[in-house]
């Protein structure tokens, strides 16, 4: 007789293979149709705790890359973690819409047509471009399984949003932190705009290393008592020498004249000898103060160059005499400011020399015309040629240099009139913005903890924030200026009125409406006496004020201010984290976030940065098509996001294998409880053991997940699933599940243990594998899913179970037993462990239920030592001795245990089952 048909084999329609690429889109479409985000909000409306994540806005330009996928999936996993742990959650996704990259794309699209268009028309094109990519990116984010308020996302170009960005600016102005001044700033000649520090990236650039000798005038020569002495400066920017106004010396250092009549800082002479600049023989030493306010002569144009003192002059390179052009360097600017030295700026917005060269006499009349309109970087060779014998040494070298992060062109320092948020004005209850921001960081929790050091250092050392830009696509710095006095009007009535206009018409109104139309009726100011400020805001100001527009305005159901967490890449310590912190502290004297989580960057399998030229780019849509989004999501959870994350085809295959193990474990659990009608809590030893293990494991994993340690948590969980659960318990239970009667108490208690474990496991991993758990619920029996219709009805509940079973001896003896079995099978002495029985002297093991312990080792019998028997092997664990011998019983043809009294005869258990049929 074929007994296979008499076994209670697993039954489930939950497929072994997920066919993820085909099934996931349809499942998300169903979620979208059923508006599951609204369901999530409703399900937790009575929750005692809440959680909101404030989305760092991606830029509405281009398709998503793998870094976007990492960021959004991690946010989604964290939001869902809080949800499945029973909290009320809010997640409003958003986009940065203004800024240079979109404007540049529109310029390319429009070509020459742009020159005949007004600002409002150009801005309309930019708005249309941003809207197009918001739709594209929204669909791509949703395809990653990300749940949020996609019905009402925030966009910085929405009219009310632009109004709230402007209101934030007005609040900063009212605090007295907004200042306008002419000062050198990072200037992108390629973008024709000022840049904030966060918009600058550093890369290698080849430059000149130029040493130039300035003759001293008569008064300076007399002061040091050496005729013909020359002050030697070092520069890497020969093009700035036309704007030289001074030479800076360190006030605390000794300077010297060498026998070749060169002036250097004494501590650097030995280094300069090594460079071949001087013979090093010192003929005179003097204090730097002797030359203060005296002059050298610029060999390029014959203009005077004043000696000044400044602490910024260091002894770590150069000559100790610093070429000072106050329009081309922040240190130069502040040093010159103390001496009342004029800031000369002969470079226009495109990086070309302008007529200032001629009006200020910065080059002689016979050559000046060839430089006007020349790009500064192209002028270096000609300037070195004109310097002639004044050049002591010239070479080229490669060094780290600031580049515009959008045009990828090298930037310059250029003095222009700009708007700044002051870092060191004591306007906030007697404290500066810098002090307030640093204090606010003390109340922020960082993941990882080292993040606080990075942002603290940046806040401590950052300059004033330049927030003005000279472009078209952005929120205007919408202030009026008195035409006669040039004084800016910060009248509350006017500011509030303009904000209300922006609410209705958007920021385009600043350009489309006249001053008279923009003034409130009955204003004390006259339109014909005013003019508009035409700069726009740095896009970092837009994104830095999103906490105000999203969390404070009441326009979005996004949770409260402060946000529970901000989560972005580690580069945002200098970007969004910082701009948000500064604006929140300027207005409310506290951070806009309670915690910050940062992740690393995505790199290829070898740790290399991805680039199209290398051919190592991994696109999220390609991963979804080949492996499925669940594999991408599991890759995020399995990776240590605190450092750079490697991804590649081989890595994804490994993740897919881990997914297969998880899916098959869930499938086994569902299939083997399909016929259970009622829970049976009369647990046996093995049931109590696995429930205790599951309780301990899930507690540890849930703690990891709550602390966003997903990689650690999943590794613990996977070890449990493949080890104690699948590798031991489920394997052991197959006999009772398949061979016991359907009403067997032993079988039902094991099924009950599986139900308890499954009901906790599903919501525990649902934040990451949301698609899979939703699918599993469709096929889960009522006894597991209860009243749940889909995954979003689940909530994690810990397993409360504490077993007193000491499994130390059991596990160690099982490991040694399995090692011996491998050899016995290899030597073909046995085919199955069921052919065996074990004798032991362990009082502990003998005190336990012998049938269950026999199942533990998967042998047919266990007992005390007896005389005789076919002994195959023995081993010792501590004081316990184990003997392995062949069973003297016969193989049951139904369950294959060696428990039958004769050949082809059923064992007592199987006979009873068959008799009851």
């Amino acid at each position: 007789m074929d007994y296979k048909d008499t076994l209670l084999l697993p039954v489930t329609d939950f497929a072994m293979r997920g066919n993820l690429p085909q099934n996931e889109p349809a499942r998300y479409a169903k979620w979208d149709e059923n508006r599951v985000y609204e369901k999530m909000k409703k399900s937790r409306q009575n929750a005692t705790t809440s959680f909101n994540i404030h989305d760092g806005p991606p830029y509405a330009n281009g398709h998503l890359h793998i870094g976007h996928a990492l960021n959004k999936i991690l946010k989604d996993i964290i939001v869902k973690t809080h949800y499945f742990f029973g909290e009320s959650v809010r997640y409003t996704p958003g986009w940065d819409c203004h800024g240079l990259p979109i404007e540049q794309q529109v310029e390319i699209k429009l070509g020459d047509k742009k020159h005949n268009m007004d600002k409002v028309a150009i801005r309309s094109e930019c708005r249309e471009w941003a809207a197009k990519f918001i739709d594209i990116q929204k669909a791509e984010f949703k395809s990653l399984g990300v749940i949020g308020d996609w019905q009402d996302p925030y966009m910085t170009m929405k009219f009310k949003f632009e109004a709230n960005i402007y209101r934030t600016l007005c609040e900063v102005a009212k605090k007295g932190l907004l200042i306008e001044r002419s000062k050198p700033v990072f200037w992108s000649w390629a973008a024709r705009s000022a840049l904030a520090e966060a918009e600058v990236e550093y890369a290698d650039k080849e430059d000149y290393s130029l040493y130039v000798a300035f003759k001293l005038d008569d008064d300076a020569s007399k002061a040091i008592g050496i005729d013909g002495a020359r002050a030697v400066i070092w520069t890497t920017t020969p093009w700035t020498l036309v704007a030289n106004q001074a030479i800076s010396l360190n006030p605390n250092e000794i300077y010297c004249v060498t026998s070749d009549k060169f002036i250097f800082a004494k501590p650097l002479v030995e280094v300069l000898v090594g460079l071949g600049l001087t013979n090093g023989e010192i003929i005179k030493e003097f204090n730097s103060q002797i030359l203060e306010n005296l002059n050298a002569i610029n060999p390029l144009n014959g203009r005077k160059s004043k000696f000044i003192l400044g602490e910024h002059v260091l002894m770590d390179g150069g000559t100790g005499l610093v070429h000072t052009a106050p329009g081309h360097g922040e240190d130069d600017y502040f040093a010159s400011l103390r001496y009342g030295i004029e800031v000369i700026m002969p470079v226009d917005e495109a990086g070309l020399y302008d007529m200032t060269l001629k009006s200020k006499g910065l080059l002689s009349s016979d050559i000046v015309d060839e430089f006007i309109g020349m790009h500064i970087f192209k002028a270096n060779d000609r300037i070195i040629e004109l310097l002639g014998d004044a050049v002591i040494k010239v070479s080229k070298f490669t060094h780290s240099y600031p580049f515009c992060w959008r045009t990828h062109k090298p930037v310059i320092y250029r003095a222009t009139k700009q708007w700044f948020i002051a870092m060191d004005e004591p306007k906030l209850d007697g404290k500066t913005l810098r002090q307030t921001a640093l204090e606010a960081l003390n109340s922020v929790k960082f993941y990882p903890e080292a993040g606080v050091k990075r942002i603290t250092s940046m806040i401590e050392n950052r300059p004033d924030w330049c927030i003005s830009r000279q472009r078209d696509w952005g929120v205007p710095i919408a202030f009026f200026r008195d035409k006669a006095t040039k004084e800016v009007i910060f009248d509350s009535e006017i500011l509030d009125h303009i904000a209300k206009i922006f609410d209705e018409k958007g920021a385009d109104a600043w350009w489309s409406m006249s001053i008279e139309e923009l003034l409130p009726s009955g204003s004390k100011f006259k339109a014909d006496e005013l003019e508009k400020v035409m700069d726009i805001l740095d896009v970092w100001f837009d994104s830095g004020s999103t906490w105000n527009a999203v969390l404070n305005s009441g326009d979005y159901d996004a949770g409260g201010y402060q946000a529970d967490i901000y989560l972005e890449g580690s580069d945002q310590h200098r970007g969004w984290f910082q701009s948000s912190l500064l604006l929140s502290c300027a207005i409310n004297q506290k951070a806009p976030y309670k915690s910050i989580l940062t992740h690393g960057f995505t790199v290829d399998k070898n740790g290399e940065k991805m680039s199209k030229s290398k051919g190592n780019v991994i696109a999220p849509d390609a991963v979804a098509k080949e492996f499925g989004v669940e594999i991408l999501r599991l890759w995020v959870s399995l990776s240590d996001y605190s450092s750079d994350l490697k991804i590649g085809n081989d890595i994804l295959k490994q993740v897919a294998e881990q997914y297969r193990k998880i899916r098959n474990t869930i499938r086994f659990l569902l299939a083997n409880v399909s016929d259970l009608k009622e829970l049976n809590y009369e647990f046996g030893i093995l049931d109590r053991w696995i429930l205790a293990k599951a309780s301990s494991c899930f507690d540890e994993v849930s703690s990891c997940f709550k602390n966003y340690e997903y990689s650690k948590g999943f590794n613990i969980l996977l070890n449990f699933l493949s080890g104690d659960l699948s590798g031991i318990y489920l394997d052991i239970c197959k006999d009772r599940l398949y061979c016991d009667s359907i009403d067997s108490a032993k079988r039902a208690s094991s099924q009950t243990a599986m139900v308890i474990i499954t009901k906790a496991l599903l919501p525990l991993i649902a934040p990451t594998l949301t698609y899979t758990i939703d699918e599993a619920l469709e096929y889960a029996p009522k006894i597991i899913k209860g009243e749940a219709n889909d995954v979003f009805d689940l909530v994690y509940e810990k397993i409360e179970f504490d077993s007193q079973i000491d499994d130390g001896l059991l596990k160690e003896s099982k490991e040694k037993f399995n090692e011996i079995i491998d050899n016995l099978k290899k030597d073909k002495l046995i085919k199955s462990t069921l052919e065996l029985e074990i004798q032991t002297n362990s009082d502990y093991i003998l005190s336990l239920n012998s049938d269950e312990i026999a199942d533990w080792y998967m042998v047919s019998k266990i007992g005390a030592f007896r005389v005789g028997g076919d002994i195959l092997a023995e081993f010792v664990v501590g004081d316990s001795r184990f003997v392995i011998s062949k069973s003297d019983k016969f193989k049951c043809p139904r369950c294959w245990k060696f428990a039958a009294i004769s050949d082809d005869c059923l064992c007592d258990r199987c006979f009873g089952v068959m008799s009851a049929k």
Side-chain angles (χ1 to χ4, degrees):
M1 177 179 179
D2 186 355
Y3 288 104
K4 183 178 179 182
D5 295 336
T6 72
L7 301 178
L8 298 171
L9 296 176
V11 177
T12 183
D13 289 327
F14 182 59
M16 185 180 294
R17 294 184 179 276
N19 292 322
L20 300 175
Q22 292 75 36
N23 294 335
E24 287 166 342
R27 190 164 295 278
Y28 193 94
K30 182 181 176 184
W31 294 348
D32 219 19
E33 183 183 343
N34 294 337
R35 302 191 68 179
V36 294
Y37 179 69
E38 294 302 317
K39 174 179 178 174
M40 289 168 70
K41 291 199 294 184
K42 188 175 181 181
S43 295
R44 302 287 189 266
Q45 60 188 354
N46 297 320
T48 56
T49 56
S50 64
F51 172 83
N52 71 323
I53 189 168
H54 181 45
D55 196 26
Y59 196 66
N61 190 31
H63 289 269
L64 302 185
H65 53 67
I66 199 70
H68 287 123
L70 161 65
N71 179 263
K72 271 295 197 292
I73 288 172
L74 186 54
K75 286 174 181 172
D76 185 63
I77 290 171
I78 286 176
V79 170
K80 287 175 180 170
T81 295
H82 285 271
Y83 176 77
F84 286 113
F85 278 104
E87 296 181 50
S88 171
V89 296
R90 294 293 184 274
Y91 173 56
T92 299
W95 278 272
D96 253 339
C97 306
H98 300 122
L100 182 63
I102 289 173
E103 192 172 341
Q104 286 179 322
Q105 292 298 323
V106 168
E107 285 176 347
I108 293 169
K109 173 188 167 187
L110 294 174
D112 292 337
K113 283 199 301 183
K114 184 193 174 187
H115 303 304
N116 300 317
M117 297 170 65
D118 61 23
K119 277 185 181 283
V120 173
I122 294 168
R123 287 171 60 84
S124 177
E125 291 281 345
C126 292
R127 190 178 296 277
E128 186 178 317
W129 184 277
K132 168 188 168 185
F133 278 101
I134 286 171
D135 287 343
I136 289 170
Q137 291 184 3
K138 183 194 293 186
E140 291 173 337
F141 281 135
K142 290 167 77 172
S143 74
L144 297 173
V146 177
I147 304 294
D149 194 355
W150 297 112
Q151 299 293 322
D152 189 23
Y154 78 81
M155 305 172 200
T156 59
M157 68 180 183
K158 283 183 178 179
F159 289 175
K160 282 190 175 182
F161 211 105
E162 290 181 329
N164 284 323
I165 293 170
Y166 175 67
R167 287 187 175 98
T168 305
L169 174 67
C170 293
E171 288 300 312
V172 173
K174 289 172 185 177
K175 295 284 187 178
L177 294 172
L178 193 62
I179 53 178
E180 185 185 25
R181 64 166 180 254
S182 181
K183 177 178 175 289
V185 294
F186 282 122
W187 183 270
S188 172
W189 50 267
R192 301 192 179 197
S193 180
L195 300 179
E197 191 178 20
E199 294 175 297
V200 172
E201 60 187 13
Y202 286 81
D204 286 345
K205 180 178 183 289
E206 186 181 66
D207 273 319
Y208 280 102
S209 172
L210 182 67
Y211 293 85
V212 183
F214 284 51
K215 291 179 181 178
L216 273 58
D217 71 4
D218 292 342
D219 291 340
S221 295
K222 287 177 184 177
I224 63 169
I226 302 286
D227 287 333
R230 294 190 292 172
V232 181
I233 63 94
W234 175 69
T235 183
T236 61
T237 55
W239 60 269
T240 64
L241 287 170
V242 296
N244 173 272
Q245 291 283 76
I247 296 174
S248 298
L249 311 176
N250 188 298
N252 306 309
E253 294 292 346
I254 299 296
Y255 285 75
C256 65
V257 184
T258 61
S259 61
D260 30 25
K261 298 293 184 72
F262 294 144
I263 299 174
F264 304 110
K266 185 181 177 184
L268 292 170
V269 170
E270 188 176 338
V271 174
L272 297 171
V273 170
L275 292 173
L277 268 72
T278 175
N279 58 28
E281 182 186 350
I282 296 173
I283 60 174
K284 179 72 180 280
E285 295 182 8
F286 61 92
N287 291 323
S288 55
Q289 285 86 351
I290 288 177
L291 284 177
E292 186 178 15
N293 287 315
L294 299 177
N295 297 290
I297 305 299
N298 186 339
L300 189 60
N301 54 24
R303 288 168 53 88
K304 288 187 175 182
S305 183
K306 182 179 287 189
F307 286 107
I308 62 176
L309 305 180
E311 299 281 353
H312 68 287
V313 181
L314 305 177
M315 297 296 117
D316 58 357
T319 64
L321 295 89
V322 175
H323 150 55
T324 302
H328 291 300
E330 192 167 33
D331 287 335
D332 295 16
Y333 171 80
F334 285 115
S336 299
L337 196 64
R338 293 193 296 272
Y339 288 87
I341 294 172
E342 180 186 8
V343 176
I344 293 176
M345 178 43 57
V347 181
D348 71 10
E349 62 181 12
L352 309 178
Y353 285 124
D354 63 19
M355 292 298 292
T356 307
L357 290 178
K358 187 174 285 189
S359 64
K360 292 291 185 180
L362 303 184
L363 287 170
S364 60
S365 58
D366 59 325
I367 60 169
V368 67
D369 287 338
E370 73 173 276
F371 282 87
I372 293 172
M374 180 186 290
H375 195 281
I376 50 175
F377 291 160
K378 293 181 179 179
N380 284 329
D381 290 338
R382 181 69 173 122
I383 285 173
I384 292 170
E385 181 185 337
L386 292 171
L387 286 168
D389 294 341
V391 175
I392 295 179
K393 181 179 174 66
V394 62
S395 60
K396 285 190 174 181
F397 77 118
T398 300
H399 64 144
S400 181
Y401 190 88
F403 281 70
C404 172
W405 78 329
R406 291 200 167 107
T407 65
H408 305 295
K409 301 291 186 182
V411 303
I412 61 174
Y413 262 109
R414 179 173 179 263
T416 58
K417 203 159 194 177
Q418 301 291 344
W419 290 90
F420 297 85
I421 293 178
M423 293 297 298
D424 297 308
E425 294 288 332
K427 300 288 187 178
L428 304 173
D429 297 328
K431 294 179 181 177
T432 67
L433 179 54
R434 193 185 309 278
Q435 290 171 326
T436 305
L438 290 171
E439 288 178 10
L441 290 174
N442 294 329
S443 301
V444 178
K445 183 173 179 60
F446 283 82
Y447 304 92
E449 292 180 1
V452 68
K453 294 179 182 177
R454 189 172 184 196
I455 193 171
T456 295
S457 175
M458 290 175 173
I459 295 291
E460 286 173 342
N461 297 299
R462 68 158 296 136
D464 292 342
W465 179 7
C466 177
I467 62 166
S468 49
R469 298 291 180 271
Q470 291 69 48
R471 301 293 303 186
D472 296 332
W473 181 226
V475 175
I477 299 178
F479 300 138
F480 293 123
R481 196 191 303 275
D482 186 291
K483 283 182 182 177
T485 65
K486 302 301 179 183
E487 180 185 351
V488 178
I489 309 300
F490 293 123
D491 179 77
S492 292
E493 185 184 21
I494 292 177
L495 302 182
D496 292 344
H497 183 68
I498 291 172
K500 288 176 183 175
I501 291 173
F502 287 1
D503 275 330
E504 296 178 11
K505 302 177 183 292
D508 288 357
W510 187 245
W511 290 276
S512 64
M513 296 174 68
S514 67
I515 293 177
E516 188 172 7
E517 291 172 316
L518 289 165
L519 286 172
S521 59
S523 173
K524 62 184 178 182
F525 295 93
K526 296 179 180 178
D528 59 357
E529 295 177 354
L530 302 176
E531 60 187 15
K532 295 177 183 177
V533 172
M534 299 305 288
D535 295 335
I536 64 168
L537 282 168
D538 168 18
V539 73
W540 286 108
F541 191 101
D542 284 24
S543 57
S545 64
T546 54
W547 57 266
N548 201 12
V550 177
L551 305 180
N552 258 359
S553 67
D555 294 336
Y556 300 90
D557 183 13
Y561 167 85
Q562 305 156 301
D564 287 295
I565 197 169
Y566 274 34
L567 188 167
E568 301 300 328
S570 54
D571 58 330
Q572 295 307 318
H573 286 117
R574 64 193 287 265
W576 188 56
F577 297 151
Q578 195 175 145
S579 62
S580 301
L581 174 70
L582 294 179
L583 292 179
S584 182
C585 286
I587 296 172
N588 297 324
Q589 288 81 62
K590 63 181 179 181
Y593 34 69
K594 297 174 186 175
S595 62
I596 280 179
L597 185 148
T598 52
H599 58 75
F601 300 102
T602 50
V603 293
D604 72 9
K605 63 181 181 180
N606 299 315
E608 298 289 330
K609 185 178 180 181
M610 293 186 192
S611 69
K612 290 181 181 177
S613 61
K614 290 181 181 177
N616 63 347
V617 172
I618 304 290
D621 61 335
V623 177
K625 287 174 184 173
E626 182 175 356
F627 293 95
V629 169
E630 289 289 71
I631 306 306
L632 195 57
R633 293 176 66 89
L634 186 57
W635 165 75
V636 172
S637 281
L638 287 173
S639 301
D640 178 6
Y641 59 74
S642 64
S643 57
D644 288 347
L645 291 81
K646 292 181 179 180
I647 188 169
N649 214 51
D650 291 342
I651 292 170
L652 289 167
K653 285 179 180 177
Q654 292 170 13
V655 174
E657 179 60 23
Q658 299 284 44
Y659 172 81
R660 187 189 65 80
K661 291 177 182 176
I662 295 170
R663 184 180 181 93
N664 284 345
T665 301
I666 293 172
R667 184 173 184 272
F668 185 94
L669 290 167
L670 297 181
N672 282 284
V673 299
S674 60
D675 58 19
L676 183 66
K677 304 303 180 190
E678 188 176 340
L679 297 178
N680 182 342
Y681 296 100
E682 296 178 7
F683 298 121
I685 295 168
L686 298 183
D687 303 329
R688 296 202 305 274
W689 171 77
I690 195 60
L691 285 169
K693 288 291 182 182
S695 175
S696 175
C697 171
F698 290 4
D699 282 353
E700 195 173 357
V701 171
S702 62
S703 176
C704 288
F705 288 177
K706 288 176 182 178
N707 287 297
Y708 314 136
E709 295 176 319
Y710 292 102
S711 176
K712 180 181 177 182
F714 260 102
N715 278 310
I716 294 168
L717 183 61
L718 285 165
N719 285 335
F720 168 74
L721 294 181
S722 62
D724 289 340
L725 184 61
S726 296
I728 299 178
Y729 182 73
L730 297 183
D731 203 28
I732 290 170
C733 285
K734 287 175 183 176
D735 175 72
R736 66 187 65 173
L737 291 170
Y738 302 168
C739 300
D740 276 12
S741 64
I742 196 166
D743 58 356
S744 158
K746 183 178 177 183
R747 180 175 187 270
S749 69
S750 290
Q751 287 180 304
T752 300
M754 291 182 199
V755 167
I756 292 170
I757 290 169
T758 307
K759 290 179 74 171
L761 175 64
L762 296 184
L764 187 62
I765 60 177
T768 298
L769 300 178
T770 320
Y771 284 125
T772 301
I773 304 310
D774 194 45
E775 182 190 354
L777 275 185
E778 287 185 7
Y779 302 105
K782 179 83 170 177
I783 203 157
I784 283 180
K785 70 180 180 181
E787 300 303 316
N789 293 310
D790 59 33
V791 65
F792 302 103
D793 288 326
L794 298 180
V795 62
Y796 175 76
E797 294 180 12
K798 67 177 294 182
I799 298 174
E800 299 282 0
F801 202 89
D802 183 18
S803 172
Q804 301 302 315
I805 297 173
D806 180 1
D807 67 354
L809 177 60
L810 286 169
K811 292 192 82 170
E812 191 174 348
S813 61
K814 185 177 176 70
E815 286 176 11
K816 289 200 172 186
F817 173 76
N818 287 340
E819 291 173 8
I820 292 170
I821 294 306
D822 288 340
N823 291 323
L824 293 177
K825 287 181 178 180
K826 191 183 299 181
D827 295 338
K828 298 184 178 180
L829 294 174
I830 63 167
K831 292 181 180 179
S832 165
T833 57
L834 293 176
E835 299 173 40
L836 305 174
E837 61 178 65
I838 296 175
Q839 295 101 48
T840 182
N841 65 348
S842 169
D843 291 337
Y844 175 68
I845 288 179
L846 292 173
S847 71
L848 303 174
N849 182 288
S850 61
D851 287 343
E852 293 239 36
I853 300 305
D855 285 346
W856 174 261
Y857 297 102
M858 297 183 76
V859 296
S860 289
K861 183 180 177 183
I862 189 165
F865 285 126
R866 62 180 173 80
V867 178
D870 185 7
I871 297 176
L872 296 177
E874 60 180 285
F875 62 92
V876 175
V877 178
D879 296 330
S880 299
R881 180 168 165 249
F882 297 81
V883 170
I884 304 169
S885 61
K886 279 246 187 177
S887 174
D888 58 3
K889 295 286 181 70
F890 294 89
K891 181 180 178 179
C892 172
R894 183 171 180 271
C895 71
W896 298 359
K897 280 189 174 183
F898 279 67
I901 57 174
S902 64
D903 202 13
D904 289 330
C905 176
L906 293 175
C907 67
D908 289 346
R909 185 261 310 261
C910 289
F911 180 79
V913 172
M914 292 300 295
S915 298
K917 285 186 178 292

